[in-house]
Amino acid sequence: MTRAEADTFKARAGAALADHHLKTAIDRTTRTARQKREAAVAGWPGFSRARDLGARIKDHVIENLDHYLIEFERNARASGAIVHYASSAGDACQIVVRICRDAKARTVTRSKSMLGEEIGLPHALDEAGLGRVETDLAEHIVQLAHDRPSHIIWPALHRTREDIAALFREHHHTPQNSDDIPAMVASARRQLRGGFLAADVGISGANFLIADSGAVCTVTNEGNAELTTTIPRVHIVTAGIEKLVPSLPHAFALLRLLVRSATGADITQYTTFHCGPKRAGDLDGPEAFHIVLVDNGRARMLGQGLAEMLRCLRCGACMNHCVVYNEIGGHAYGGVYPGPMGAVLTPVLDGLETSRDLVHACTLNGRCQEVCPVDIPLPAMLRGWREKSWAQGLEPVTQRSFIGLWAFVVTRPRLYRLGAGLAIKTLRLFARDGWIRALPLASGWTSTRDFPKPARRTFMAQYQAQKRNRGL
Amino acid sequence: MSARDDILAAIRRNLRREPSDASAIRTAAEALALEARESRPSLPGCDLAEAFAQRLVSAKVVGASVSHIGHFSEAPGEVRNYCDAHGLAYEMALQPDPALQQLDWSDFTITASIGADQTLAVAKARWAIAETGTLAFHSGPFSPTLMSFLPLHHICFIERERILAHLEDYAAAEAGATPPRNVNLITGASGTADIEGALVRGAHGPAFLHAVIVDAGEL
């Protein structure tokens, strides 16, 4: 296989399907996630009303995005924050690196942020020669393994405890004595504490940007965000512009949905609002507070029929419940965001031409929209991308001609019935004991599953015969 | 044009409209916030302090315990009991809050600032929220943020009358006030589920959180 072939979605998905170790790792985490979410939703009678309201709060912000952006900027500046704007991923990274250089930073701590991953910030910091310490446990694992995140809530979900134990033994100063999970977590705590204390700059993302105060909200369970944002001299936030909410009560309404959908808890252990730098008399906190507001295709989505995707709270429920994600995991998708929400967003970020396979890697069973805490019509959006891919001529020639032929036949009923009658007669020749185990030209189907032996006559032929028998 | 102008222009172009009326937007936003009160989770029928305490020790909250004292003057004794129960030395970082500082801590070795490997920190929370079992801290001259994140054990005193029902009640209680650098809403001990989804406490922050409800508030 050439490098280009190895890098197609089909090749990556094929490799993932063959990896039973990966399947074990995915199952261990997503099964727990599904069960806990279900219990959390069942325990909240107001959930469906809250979900409907959550979608409307996000829609209200999206419809007035310019207003809230200006209001947030004004209040953030008043609190002493320095606000930057970046149209593209590259611009955002440049701004962050420049702030680090101006601060004469040597080491930087980072608290998990999907926006940071989206803009390629880890790579940009490494390129700039800054010592980067990922402080979220999963991101720490990903960094040690020179890996990429494979899930937006559990970035190291593709690693089993056995993999991680080996990684820690290789990289930690004083690794765990036993390979049970608490001992491994304690080893990471010892390892990272020094990194927290030595950092010159701390970089976080944002779960919500509160327009009426200029505060930035982060949620974590580990407490790594607060150690990242409080100890260093400089705190930088990178945030997508869709994270805006009008005020604190709106953030709380969305927080209830986000956390239950992500982990099944009612609230994260730490929900923190950062507003401006350290105040006069404060005993800790950064001297300087920067907020980088990133567009990177979001404003364009408003005009592309993708505005509803900007509701996304990044909870990960859609991937936990996706039959495709659960078979192939996050890396096979090839983009920063995997699963259903990733299949909708990757064409925006990387272009449809290179990601058209993703929008087809979906059974349209609708589970993702059902579990989405803000009711994003993900299946309809994936169909929309399929239509665009067809209209732009991106579908391969074989597929286009086959569908052309299909359309020609199905719009001519007599021809269709004749063809169907011939086809089932032919197929029956390959059947043994009611099943077809191998078919020439269709090994793609039969190599992994059997095809049922067709009935003796077509549906239409049986229907006509019954009508005659009943004298109708 | 600056990136700011580019982004605002692109938003308006793609929304296909001019800037809209700020007061109409505010009215719509307020209606949405009000509506959230209708679907929020309900609380058990008992009083708020009891609801908060029940919530804190339920399976919904990680690594938390709770006790009661009548007055702040009993706080040092309560901390001694906690240290004895957990086999801890009488050493701690004490939040520089006047209500705590004025108490008799003569049995303890006290550090004013928090150390990187501090075993115990003792603090007073600003608010508690019964809905979620949350303690709210505001950073300030009497309340450093790191006191809640560096220690292994975190003991938090909370006055009974400062226990609120819902998250929105916290927002209402602080409405109009200038927000501090940090608002920390803390619910239980630090935890992680990053290895195979298995929940482990004490990831980076405290492994133990103990709330003490002070029934009569200040003397």
Side-chain angles (χ1 to χ4, degrees):
Chain A
M1 205 166 11
T2 68
R3 197 179 171 80
E5 280 166 347
D7 212 29
T8 62
F9 172 73
K10 278 183 187 150
R12 289 191 303 264
L17 285 171
D19 184 348
H20 295 293
H21 188 67
L22 177 66
K23 178 75 178 139
T24 306
I26 297 168
D27 282 347
R28 283 180 184 172
T29 303
T30 61
R31 185 183 304 127
T32 313
R34 288 192 299 272
Q35 288 165 350
K36 286 172 116 177
R37 177 205 167 269
E38 200 183 339
V41 167
W44 183 16
F47 174 74
S48 69
R49 281 176 77 190
R51 177 175 181 261
D52 171 69
L53 176 66
R56 284 186 288 122
I57 290 174
K58 290 296 291 192
D59 286 349
H60 166 79
V61 171
I62 295 159
E63 282 155 23
N64 300 292
L65 198 53
D66 51 342
H67 169 86
Y68 284 117
L69 204 52
I70 292 167
E71 186 185 358
F72 173 80
E73 178 204 78
R74 186 176 61 238
N75 290 318
R77 288 211 165 117
S79 74
I82 302 161
V83 181
H84 310 259
Y85 286 85
S87 293
S88 69
D91 291 353
C93 287
Q94 239 172 32
I95 292 168
V96 174
V97 168
R98 199 181 60 230
I99 298 167
C100 293
R101 287 203 171 125
D102 289 350
K104 303 200 167 25
R106 280 173 310 173
T107 66
V108 173
T109 39
R110 219 171 73 87
S111 156
K112 177 176 153 294
S113 149
M114 285 316 298
L115 189 273
E117 299 293 333
E118 175 189 318
I119 62 175
L121 191 54
H123 181 71
L125 294 169
D126 293 349
E127 287 275 287
L130 292 153
R132 171 172 63 96
V133 180
E134 295 291 341
T135 65
D136 173 75
L137 178 60
E139 291 279 12
H140 171 64
I141 294 164
V142 166
Q143 186 178 24
L144 290 183
H146 301 289
D147 226 348
R148 289 188 302 120
S150 69
H151 190 285
I152 64 172
I153 298 291
W154 297 280
L157 162 149
H158 57 287
R159 297 262 165 201
T160 60
R161 88 191 77 151
E162 295 84 359
D163 298 340
I164 298 164
L167 264 178
F168 285 5
R169 269 198 303 276
E170 186 186 342
H171 294 280
H172 283 178
H173 304 311
T174 47
Q176 69 280 0
N177 288 323
S178 75
D179 286 352
D180 65 335
I181 296 175
M184 282 149 65
V185 172
S187 177
R189 181 186 173 108
R190 286 192 297 275
Q191 181 77 14
L192 287 167
R193 188 128 304 200
F196 280 123
L197 297 170
D200 303 300
V201 173
I203 305 176
S204 74
N207 291 91
F208 302 104
L209 303 169
I210 317 293
D212 75 346
S213 66
V216 173
C217 175
T218 59
V219 303
T220 76
N221 289 324
E222 298 179 10
N224 61 312
E226 292 72 13
L227 294 173
T228 299
T229 62
T230 309
I231 300 173
R233 290 179 278 124
V234 179
H235 173 196
I236 306 173
V237 172
T238 58
I241 54 175
E242 86 284 9
K243 294 289 179 194
L244 285 158
V245 291
S247 72
L248 200 50
H250 300 92
F252 287 146
L254 294 169
L255 195 63
R256 289 192 182 105
L257 293 164
L258 165 65
V259 185
R260 284 176 176 82
S261 303
T263 65
D266 292 351
I267 192 169
T268 48
Q269 274 94 318
Y270 303 107
T271 304
T272 290
F273 297 85
H274 310 267
C275 190
K278 179 181 184 174
R279 308 289 165 81
D282 277 3
L283 300 170
D284 49 26
E287 305 292 335
F289 179 49
H290 295 264
I291 304 168
V292 186
L293 298 168
V294 183
D295 177 357
N296 202 30
R298 287 162 175 76
R300 206 172 60 232
M301 286 167 69
L302 293 171
Q304 286 181 320
L306 296 168
E308 287 154 314
M309 192 62 218
L310 295 177
R311 290 179 191 162
C312 181
L313 304 175
R314 307 288 192 263
C315 72
C318 61
M319 54 199 77
N320 294 337
H321 291 78
C322 173
V323 290
V324 177
Y325 179 92
N326 275 283
E327 291 301 320
I328 64 175
H331 287 159
Y333 286 82
V336 169
Y337 299 106
M341 56 80 79
V344 172
L345 279 176
T346 306
V348 178
L349 297 169
D350 298 348
L352 183 58
E353 205 168 325
T354 54
S355 55
R356 56 160 288 278
D357 278 331
L358 299 186
V359 306
H360 288 286
C362 168
T363 65
L364 298 178
N365 70 7
R367 277 300 272 153
C368 50
Q369 184 174 357
E370 275 170 40
V371 298
C372 174
V374 284
D375 197 22
I376 300 172
L378 291 156
M381 290 180 148
L382 287 170
R383 273 201 304 273
W385 277 125
R386 290 180 185 184
E387 280 161 24
K388 275 185 193 150
S389 178
W390 179 268
Q392 289 172 22
L394 300 177
E395 301 299 306
V397 178
T398 44
Q399 206 164 319
R400 294 186 78 85
S401 17
F402 180 78
I403 290 175
L405 181 67
W406 171 255
F408 182 84
V409 177
V410 292
T411 49
R412 287 163 180 79
R414 279 168 189 280
L415 181 60
Y416 179 80
R417 281 175 212 161
L418 181 72
L422 280 172
I424 61 168
K425 282 199 178 70
T426 318
L427 281 174
R428 286 175 64 84
L429 297 176
F430 293 91
R432 300 281 177 276
D433 306 326
W435 291 94
I436 300 169
R437 294 202 174 76
L439 264 182
L441 305 176
S443 61
W445 176 282
T446 53
S447 66
T448 51
R449 51 229 187 277
D450 294 344
F451 194 84
K453 181 183 179 181
R456 199 175 301 277
R457 297 157 75 195
T458 65
F459 172 80
M460 283 308 290
Q462 293 183 50
Y463 176 68
Q464 298 291 0
Q466 279 200 16
K467 254 186 10 180
R468 276 194 302 275
N469 290 345
R470 289 186 195 157
L472 293 172
Chain B
M1 281 215 302
S2 68
R4 176 187 190 274
D5 296 339
D6 284 343
I7 294 169
L8 285 171
I11 291 169
R12 287 171 188 152
R13 189 171 61 245
N14 287 313
L15 287 171
R16 294 183 188 85
R17 59 151 183 72
E18 293 301 302
S20 31
D21 170 37
S23 73
I25 295 173
R26 193 174 313 114
T27 308
E30 281 168 6
L32 289 167
L34 215 59
E35 205 185 317
R37 293 171 174 255
E38 294 164 19
S39 56
R40 65 189 178 187
S42 56
L43 294 180
C46 52
D47 82 325
L48 287 178
E50 184 52 33
F52 170 72
Q54 277 179 17
R55 179 79 196 183
L56 207 57
V57 296
S58 74
K60 284 282 190 179
V61 176
V62 176
S65 52
V66 67
S67 65
H68 290 262
I69 56 172
H71 299 277
F72 260 115
S73 58
E74 298 161 41
E78 191 63 18
V79 176
R80 268 196 308 273
N81 291 344
Y82 183 91
C83 289
D84 294 346
H86 289 82
L88 306 181
Y90 290 177
E91 288 173 12
M92 63 175 177
L94 184 65
Q95 187 191 38
D97 185 284
L100 293 176
Q101 292 284 341
Q102 66 179 8
L103 302 172
D104 178 12
W105 299 100
S106 50
D107 291 351
F108 292 84
T109 307
I110 290 178
T111 48
S113 63
I114 179 117
D117 52 358
Q118 192 83 44
T119 304
L120 173 65
V122 172
K124 185 163 86 81
R126 185 178 175 90
W127 300 104
I129 300 160
E131 175 191 344
T132 45
T134 298
L135 294 156
F137 291 85
H138 283 195
S139 60
F142 300 131
S143 176
T145 299
L146 291 176
M147 197 144 273
S148 305
F149 294 93
L150 286 174
L152 194 62
H153 295 259
H154 190 203
I155 299 182
C156 309
F157 290 90
I158 176 71
E159 293 145 280
R160 176 183 276 269
E161 69 267 21
R162 297 189 74 85
I163 301 175
L164 306 165
H166 288 99
L167 290 164
E168 285 86 358
D169 297 317
Y170 164 77
E174 294 289 347
T178 305
R181 150 70 189 167
N182 277 146
V183 174
N184 298 117
L185 303 182
I186 297 178
T187 311
S190 159
T192 181
D194 277 349
I195 302 178
E196 294 187 351
L199 187 64
V200 176
R201 61 153 84 168
H204 290 302
F208 302 86
L209 178 115
H210 183 69
V212 184
I213 298 171
V214 185
D215 285 331
E218 292 184 47
L219 279 170

